[in-house]
Amino acid sequence: MKHIISVLVENKFGVLARISGLFSARGFNINSLAVGETENPTISRMTIVVEGDDKILEQIIKQLHRLIDVIRIIDLTKKGYVDRELLLFKIDTGKSKDKIVKILKNYKAKIINEDNCKLTVEVANSEEQVEKLLKALSAYEIKEMVRTGRIAVEK
Amino acid sequence: MKHIISVLVENKFGVLARISGLFSARGFNINSLAVGETENPTISRMTIVVEGDDKILEQIIKQLHRLIDVIRIIDLTKKGYVDRELLLFKIDTGKSKDKIVKILKNYKAKIINEDNCKLTVEVANSEEQVEKLLKALSAYEIKEMVRTGRIAVEK
């Protein structure tokens, strides 16, 4: 099962390495991780999406609690949450520009640059909608895709 | 000077810990980091924003190149790029709902949930616009802010 873990930490160097090290030491792969400042610049929030054995994850969370720079850990999967992810990518339209533009509109994706047949696209949406968009575009060539990983807040 | 570094890596556990460890070992704080899959699910892309001494950063980049799971490193700061960041936050409107909604519209921020006087807001924009929005909202109480950190693609 996928878990979305939100970790509030002191914004100090080394915290990210220690936290990601705890996951990798137990053979847990991190699907995505996003870390940025909160409303308090001395505090950062990491949003970590992981998939793996629930019991091992519980042990990792216990170890996280023991790290001195960790302030709070919330397993958002156990609560109601709203999630969003941001993607940037380029797509070669070839002769299918109209079709592609229509698909992008359906998923509220924005064209932020256009250069000959190459569109640069921005989309911010829930994981479900992002996956649907990528499926709808699977017949076309997507290049240089960058994803932030999911972030989420409690409902 | 702030640098936006884009690192393509094999999607294996431990890579994130090793990379973030290289920065922290040299006393470099990471402003933000976002890691997610690319168009090829075996490959992830990390977008790292760091600030610090340029010479030390060059040394770190050299060491990154030596890591077996690192495929490619691009210092986007040296190229033209388009950057975006995604934020979710809650804001208590109190009696200022109209003013706040107007500010949000100006910066293309979306209200994704409304519960009494509390709005849940989503905004995807460039660093510059995001900072302007937060400044415009500084008179109001922002809570539970989550940021993905910046991602960027070459122009």
Side-chain angles (χ1 to χ4, degrees):
Chain A
M1 186 188 157
K2 268 191 191 177
H3 288 261
I4 305 189
I5 315 285
S6 173
V7 188
L8 275 178
V9 297
E10 301 283 346
N11 189 5
K12 290 182 185 166
F13 64 78
V15 183
L16 178 61
R18 281 199 294 280
I19 290 181
S20 48
L22 270 185
F23 283 92
S24 61
R26 296 199 170 246
F28 244 72
N29 202 11
I30 291 176
N31 287 117
S32 73
L33 182 145
V35 51
E37 285 180 0
T38 62
E39 61 277 17
N40 175 346
T42 69
I43 294 174
S44 293
R45 186 191 301 269
M46 291 184 192
T47 310
I48 309 174
V49 179
V50 286
E51 197 169 0
D53 186 86
D54 281 7
K55 277 186 191 164
I56 296 177
L57 182 63
E58 264 177 46
Q59 291 171 352
I60 294 175
I61 290 176
K62 271 185 199 164
Q63 288 185 299
L64 286 176
H65 274 294
R66 279 188 219 131
L67 293 180
I68 195 163
D69 295 319
V70 168
I71 299 161
R72 200 171 158 217
I73 304 167
I74 310 159
D75 186 344
L76 286 167
T77 334
K78 293 180 179 168
K79 315 206 170 202
Y81 63 85
V82 187
D83 73 306
R84 286 291 184 276
E85 183 178 10
L86 174 69
L87 282 81
L88 293 173
F89 59 83
K90 292 179 184 172
I91 190 161
D92 275 323
T93 56
K95 290 173 183 166
S96 312
K97 195 179 157 188
D98 292 350
K99 278 186 195 168
I100 290 174
V101 169
K102 204 176 161 191
I103 294 170
L104 294 175
K105 267 192 188 166
N106 283 344
Y107 290 92
K108 293 172 190 166
K110 284 185 208 166
I111 297 165
I112 55 175
N113 198 36
E114 190 170 346
D115 185 7
N116 289 322
C117 291
K118 197 179 258 181
L119 307 179
T120 304
V121 177
E122 168 203 323
V123 55
N125 219 325
S126 66
E127 181 186 41
E128 197 192 350
Q129 292 298 307
V130 166
E131 293 305 330
K132 278 186 186 169
L133 167 65
L134 293 177
K135 210 173 168 184
L137 291 174
S138 60
Y140 311 102
E141 202 179 355
I142 288 182
K143 284 178 177 173
E144 297 179 48
M145 185 165 75
V146 198
R147 303 176 74 145
T148 57
R150 287 153 87 191
I151 56 171
V153 287
E154 276 181 57
K155 258 191 187 163
Chain B
M1 186 189 158
K2 268 192 192 177
H3 287 261
I4 305 189
I5 316 284
S6 173
V7 188
L8 275 180
V9 297
E10 301 283 346
N11 189 4
K12 292 181 184 165
F13 63 77
V15 183
L16 177 62
R18 281 198 294 280
I19 290 180
S20 48
L22 269 186
F23 284 92
S24 61
R26 296 199 169 247
F28 243 74
N29 202 11
I30 291 175
N31 287 118
S32 74
L33 182 144
V35 51
E37 286 180 1
T38 62
E39 61 276 18
N40 175 345
T42 69
I43 294 175
S44 293
R45 187 190 300 270
M46 291 185 192
T47 310
I48 308 175
V49 179
V50 287
E51 198 169 359
D53 186 87
D54 282 7
K55 278 186 192 163
I56 297 176
L57 182 63
E58 264 177 45
Q59 291 171 350
I60 294 175
I61 289 176
K62 271 185 199 161
Q63 289 186 299
L64 285 176
H65 275 293
R66 281 188 218 129
L67 293 180
I68 196 162
D69 295 320
V70 169
I71 299 162
R72 201 172 158 218
I73 305 167
I74 310 159
D75 186 345
L76 286 166
T77 333
K78 293 180 178 168
K79 313 203 172 208
Y81 63 85
V82 187
D83 74 304
R84 287 290 184 274
E85 183 178 10
L86 174 70
L87 283 81
L88 293 173
F89 59 83
K90 293 180 184 170
I91 190 162
D92 275 323
T93 57
K95 290 174 184 166
S96 312
K97 195 179 158 190
D98 293 349
K99 278 186 195 167
I100 289 173
V101 169
K102 203 176 162 191
I103 294 170
L104 294 175
K105 269 192 186 164
N106 283 345
Y107 291 91
K108 293 171 189 167
K110 285 185 207 166
I111 297 165
I112 55 176
N113 197 37
E114 190 170 346
D115 185 7
N116 289 322
C117 291
K118 198 179 259 182
L119 308 178
T120 304
V121 177
E122 167 204 323
V123 56
N125 219 326
S126 65
E127 182 187 41
E128 197 192 348
Q129 291 299 306
V130 166
E131 293 305 329
K132 279 186 184 167
L133 168 64
L134 293 177
K135 209 172 168 185
L137 291 175
S138 60
Y140 310 102
E141 202 180 355
I142 288 181
K143 284 179 177 173
E144 296 179 50
M145 185 164 76
V146 197
R147 303 176 74 145
T148 57
R150 287 153 87 189
I151 55 171
V153 286
E154 275 181 57
K155 260 193 186 160

